Amino acid sequence: MLALLACSDSQLPSDSAPLIDDQHLPDVVTDSRVIDPPPTSGGHRFLQGWWPWRQKGKRVLVPNENGAWIELATLSRRARTLTLDLEILGKPGEFDVTVEIPGHGRSVVALSDPLEIPLPSDLPLGRTPIKLIFPKQPDPVVLSATLDSAVAPGEVDISSDRIRQEPHSLIDFVRKVEPGANLRGELIPPDSPGQDQRFSILLMRDGEAETTVFEWPGSVWNRILGNRTFTIPLDPSGSTTGLVRIRLLAEGTGPDGIWKNLSLTRSSATRQEGHTDLEFETPPPPRLVIVYVLDALRRDFVDLEPPEISRTPTLSRLAREGVVFLRHQSVAPNTIPSTKSLFTGQIFLSRGHAKMPVDGAPTLAEIFVDGGYRTAAFSGNGYISEAYGTSRGFEHLAKEVVFQEYADTSKTYNDNAERVQSAALDWIDQLDEDDKAFLYLHTIHPHNPYDPPKALQDEYVGAIPSTFKASTSNLLHVKHHRMEIDQADQERIEGLYAGALAYNDQQISLFMYELEQRFPSEEILLVVTSDHGEELFDHGGVLHGYTLYREQLDIPLILSWPGRLSPARIETPTTNIDLHETLRSLVGAPPSKFGSGKSVWPMLLGQSALGKSTARNKLDVRFAAASSVKGGIYLAQSQRYKLIQAPRMGLTYGMGEGLGRSRDPEYLFDLTQDPEEQHNIAGLDALEVAWLRSLLGAWIERGKYLEMDEEEPVLDEKTQEQLRALGYLD
């Protein structure tokens, strides 16, 4: 059993950090005979390339034609046999299965039922992926998988200051350590150990081989000596910040041992050097703060490097004259959890569509009210409403701008940006001379329906041989495979999306002109961003909400404040919870207690003061969640790797709505080699990947306790109609 708790009562020196904390989830490896079906993440497991299916009332696994992976846990080195119980659907014949094991090359096994695969005796300790390439015919279905033998799984209990560990078990910690770091702790061995019992600490630094750095065998002499304390250098050079894998291994037969007060320390020389970041005061807040959200806008559709003819000339100019964040991401692939995160500074891991509680985290609107601002929201998306609690803190909510079907308007195209901006200007004109104001504008562009004015349709799709109408109902039919489309239809859909963005870009130019007639430009802080992206067939789907691929999360962030912010291009990764912290600090509010975002003012003002970009830390990590999906989809991403776990529920594990999309329980992409995220390499044995997995696991555990008091929204008939018009509640 594993119980993860924050370290609170351990007696550690002041210069130490506990190895056991609530920021990292150790990987506990034990053995068993059964390979668990997806979407499990522990023990032996089906890792990737398996497709759920039902036949004769049974749950079965159908191997992918590109190969499928099983991940095995090894606690003791010995020869074993992996047996797969098959049901062969096609005609019998002579077929082979190809087996690939890292470090052991390829082998071929004749297809049979059951399928028996001999495994090498020298598989490394820990987890090993094994790739199986099945013949496309005769369509073998895997019903189950087992190993012929297993060692008894040892029980592991982890609390705040100690670990109780039985043989056979392996506990894997991966931590980022500073120069001169040491591992300290104490082993309390069993009183009556078995003759073959052994407790060890194995250490691996990035790029180096694993070594045994501590060992306690159950000898007579060790029994006499009793408890053992240790100090183990993690960085002998004293000069490297990096990742280290620390493994606690219990072998043999016998009772449990206890590891106590495990901690990471730094050398005194390193501590004395110290280092503090430059500190900046935020500038006096402007009279007008406007957050302008273009719904479902992908960052790669904004011309941040404007070509000779730009489809977004207004946004391109704002990016050129203001501050643009080149690696900004949403923390959710759909509107309601993303907006809740922007408003509160916390990421929602589950119940993404739940109502925000009245006594929950303060919203941006409430924070600006406390800062002496008038507040108003003008949103075409019905998720910004009393029903979802997202209007909390706004003194004015413009319900008349919520998107509605064209039958209820005088326009033949989606004119939401015009209506949102007109209502905002009318409200601004009612402000008193001394009023300060915070406005939230949210337009339904380029969000579906992709329906720009005719002139833009002619410009963007006039030459495409397709007449597909990208209405919400048609796009939903495509999404659910109720309507077949061809390549020209796909090109038209993408073109209409781009045209819808171009329309909103034009409207922003008109809005800025009107603002500048009312206020000096230095009194206006304009923040342009999005709530999430859009699929557009990059990974086989349309619309949004059910994946965490780049097209769903990569969104623009541009800050324009003439005379206050110098032009800059910032490559530091950021998210909308960082934007939350940035805006709240503008009015002097302290950091949120509910999230982990960081204000970007040091970067904004550091750019102005230093005239150079803020350097990125390659191990900075961002998190995201598809919290509206039952069972959840979760992400941790560093500069190089993107790790996604998609347990969801039942047969729908994986990414994409319904059956028929990508059905792996875990995804890993090397962004340096595969920026388009096309090749899942889950199972890669790399320290950074194991570290991301530990961070993601702990983040999910912490998130389980955050949203317990949220209520389900109560929607009136009109609100339901408005949400259905956008493809929600389908």
Side-chain angles (χ1 to χ4, degrees):
M1 182 178 70
L2 172 61
L4 180 66
L5 301 173
C7 186
S8 58
D9 58 353
S10 58
Q11 302 299 313
L12 297 179
S14 59
D15 65 343
S16 300
L19 183 65
I20 307 166
D21 62 16
D22 66 349
Q23 303 298 308
H24 305 79
L25 185 69
D27 184 16
V28 177
V29 181
T30 57
D31 200 359
S32 67
R33 293 194 62 233
V34 176
I35 286 67
D36 295 326
T40 184
S41 60
H44 311 298
R45 58 174 177 159
F46 289 87
L47 184 58
Q48 60 167 299
W50 306 91
W51 289 72
W53 202 258
R54 285 190 183 276
Q55 181 176 318
K56 299 179 182 178
K58 293 183 178 180
R59 174 176 178 149
V60 297
L61 298 162
V62 181
N64 187 297
E65 63 181 21
N66 296 319
W69 296 78
I70 285 178
E71 188 175 67
L72 299 181
T74 300
L75 272 297
S76 63
R77 294 181 173 91
R78 66 194 190 282
R80 290 181 292 177
T81 299
L82 171 64
T83 301
L84 277 64
D85 182 16
L86 303 179
E87 181 170 335
I88 299 176
L89 302 181
K91 295 180 180 180
E94 296 294 329
F95 300 98
D96 291 329
V97 176
T98 302
V99 181
E100 295 182 5
I101 302 177
H104 294 82
R106 283 189 170 201
S107 60
V108 174
V109 179
L111 178 62
S112 61
D113 180 23
L115 176 65
E116 296 187 346
I117 301 171
L119 301 175
S121 60
D122 58 346
L123 291 179
L125 295 178
R127 301 184 184 276
T128 301
I130 297 175
K131 184 176 184 180
L132 307 175
I133 303 174
F134 290 85
K136 189 173 183 180
Q137 297 291 337
D139 299 323
V141 174
V142 179
L143 301 174
S144 65
T146 57
L147 293 164
D148 61 333
S149 66
V151 295
E155 187 175 87
V156 173
D157 288 313
I158 301 180
S159 63
S160 59
D161 64 343
R162 64 183 59 206
I163 299 172
R164 184 180 70 83
Q165 183 179 17
E166 292 179 346
H168 293 270
S169 63
L170 177 69
I171 309 170
D172 197 336
F173 296 87
V174 181
R175 298 291 294 269
K176 182 169 66 173
V177 297
E178 298 181 3
N182 298 306
L183 171 67
R184 291 179 182 169
E186 179 181 5
L187 173 66
I188 304 175
D191 292 332
S192 302
Q195 291 293 329
D196 62 343
Q197 198 166 358
R198 186 181 305 271
F199 293 90
S200 307
I201 299 178
L202 288 70
L203 191 68
M204 176 186 288
R205 302 176 187 86
D206 211 356
E208 300 180 9
E210 187 171 70
T211 58
T212 300
V213 294
F214 172 88
E215 196 168 41
W216 187 95
S219 64
V220 174
W221 179 245
N222 276 330
R223 297 180 203 178
I224 295 173
L225 290 177
N227 297 358
R228 290 273 298 275
T229 60
F230 49 83
T231 299
I232 299 170
L234 301 179
D235 173 36
S237 68
S239 61
T240 303
T241 297
L243 297 175
V244 174
R245 167 177 272 153
I246 301 166
R247 284 176 160 176
L248 309 181
L249 176 63
E251 300 174 282
T253 304
D256 58 72
I258 295 174
W259 304 93
K260 186 177 179 182
N261 291 332
L262 296 172
S263 64
L264 302 175
T265 68
R266 289 182 296 166
S267 67
S268 58
T270 303
R271 292 196 306 273
Q272 290 171 2
E273 289 176 7
H275 177 73
T276 57
D277 294 329
L278 294 174
E279 295 183 358
F280 299 90
E281 292 185 4
T282 55
R287 183 178 177 191
L288 205 63
V289 178
I290 301 174
V291 175
Y292 197 121
V293 173
L294 290 83
D295 203 314
L297 174 55
R298 295 165 51 138
R299 186 176 63 224
D300 58 0
F301 271 69
V302 179
D303 295 320
L304 299 178
E305 296 282 358
E308 187 174 336
I309 299 178
S310 173
R311 58 189 168 189
T312 57
T314 306
L315 296 182
S316 298
R317 178 171 62 83
L318 287 173
R320 185 170 62 252
E321 298 175 356
V323 180
V324 57
F325 287 79
L326 301 174
R327 296 182 178 271
H328 189 64
Q329 281 188 345
S330 175
V331 296
N334 53 331
T335 296
I336 182 63
S338 174
T339 303
K340 286 163 61 176
S341 294
L342 173 61
F343 285 1
T344 65
Q346 73 181 78
I347 302 177
F348 293 80
L349 278 74
S350 63
R351 295 172 53 78
H353 277 76
K355 179 179 180 180
M356 291 202 309
V358 175
D359 58 350
T363 66
L364 279 179
E366 291 173 323
I367 292 164
F368 272 87
V369 167
D370 292 342
Y373 278 71
R374 303 279 302 276
T375 59
F378 306 87
S379 174
N381 195 309
Y383 280 138
I384 316 304
S385 64
E386 296 100 330
Y388 285 93
T390 43
S391 63
R392 179 157 49 90
F394 289 109
E395 65 174 85
H396 177 73
L397 178 65
K399 298 181 181 180
E400 73 275 10
V401 305
V402 177
F403 180 84
Q404 31 187 337
E405 295 289 353
Y406 300 164
D408 299 326
T409 72
S410 60
K411 297 293 178 64
T412 59
Y413 61 90
N414 178 1
D415 68 334
N416 191 248
E418 295 174 49
R419 294 192 291 116
V420 165
Q421 293 178 180
S422 176
L425 291 170
D426 288 345
W427 184 80
I428 287 173
D429 288 340
Q430 299 174 32
L431 295 174
D432 292 336
E433 185 176 349
D434 296 330
D435 282 342
K436 297 183 294 183
F438 169 71
L439 288 80
Y440 178 81
L441 277 65
H442 189 132
T443 62
I444 302 302
H445 309 284
H447 189 288
N448 57 283
Y450 312 147
D451 194 6
K454 184 178 185 306
L456 288 170
Q457 290 199 29
D458 292 342
E459 178 181 349
Y460 280 87
V461 301
I464 298 174
S466 167
T467 59
F468 184 88
K469 182 177 176 59
S471 65
T472 295
S473 60
N474 279 353
L475 291 170
L476 287 173
H477 284 316
V478 173
K479 177 179 181 178
H480 295 299
H481 309 288
R482 297 191 294 257
M483 181 182 292
E484 295 296 326
I485 61 173
D486 58 22
Q487 183 63 36
D489 294 331
Q490 291 190 20
E491 292 175 6
R492 179 177 170 86
I493 289 171
E494 183 174 324
L496 290 171
Y497 175 89
L501 170 59
Y503 160 76
N504 203 152
D505 186 84
Q506 294 174 355
Q507 294 302 314
I508 292 175
S509 179
L510 298 174
F511 182 59
M512 293 174 61
Y513 172 81
E514 293 294 335
L515 289 176
E516 290 165 359
Q517 304 310 301
R518 293 164 170 80
F519 303 92
S521 59
E522 63 270 16
E523 291 186 6
I524 306 170
L525 170 59
L526 175 63
V527 180
V528 180
T529 188
S530 181
D531 49 355
H532 55 80
E534 194 82 323
E535 286 201 71
L536 297 177
F537 307 103
D538 290 55
H539 289 87
V542 293
L543 302 178
H544 51 266
Y546 287 84
T547 79
L548 295 178
Y549 293 118
R550 61 172 185 82
E551 62 269 15
Q552 295 268 15
L553 298 182
D554 289 359
I555 57 174
L557 175 60
I558 303 170
L559 278 72
S560 173
W561 192 0
R564 296 297 182 90
L565 295 179
S566 299
R569 302 171 65 80
I570 296 179
E571 293 199 17
T572 302
T574 54
T575 69
N576 41 345
I577 63 171
D578 298 317
L579 179 56
H580 170 90
E581 297 296 338
T582 302
L583 292 171
R584 68 182 291 143
S585 65
L586 183 63
V587 291
S592 170
K593 298 178 181 179
F594 294 86
S596 58
K598 296 180 180 179
S599 170
V600 301
W601 282 112
M603 286 184 276
L604 293 170
L605 301 181
Q607 291 273 356
S608 302
L610 303 176
K612 61 181 181 180
S613 286
T614 304
R616 285 180 295 156
N617 183 337
K618 70 176 183 178
L619 294 181
D620 284 343
V621 175
R622 288 174 286 180
F623 297 97
S627 56
S628 299
V629 176
K630 189 175 182 180
I633 306 174
Y634 312 105
L635 171 146
Q637 178 177 335
S638 65
Q639 180 178 333
R640 178 170 184 180
Y641 291 110
K642 182 171 186 175
L643 175 69
I644 300 171
Q645 293 181 349
R648 297 179 69 181
M649 299 295 289
L651 292 181
T652 61
Y653 64 84
M655 290 201 288
E657 186 177 12
L659 296 176
R661 294 287 301 281
S662 176
R663 290 290 162 236
D664 293 336
E666 183 170 296
Y667 302 78
L668 177 67
F669 303 105
D670 184 339
L671 301 177
T672 61
Q673 304 294 324
D674 180 25
E676 302 301 313
E677 302 169 6
Q678 297 293 323
H679 306 290
N680 184 7
I681 56 172
L684 177 70
D685 184 20
L687 282 188
E688 189 171 334
V689 175
W691 178 64
L692 281 177
R693 189 175 288 110
S694 77
L695 293 174
L696 183 59
W699 184 68
I700 295 170
E701 288 292 315
R702 295 195 306 273
K704 291 179 179 178
Y705 306 98
L706 289 180
E707 301 133 32
M708 302 300 290
D709 297 329
E710 292 195 345
E711 303 174 0
E712 292 299 325
V714 178
L715 306 179
D716 58 37
E717 185 175 340
K718 183 176 181 180
T719 300
Q720 292 183 49
E721 290 177 357
Q722 292 169 337
L723 294 176
R724 286 194 184 97
L726 297 176
Y728 308 139
L729 309 182
D730 176 57

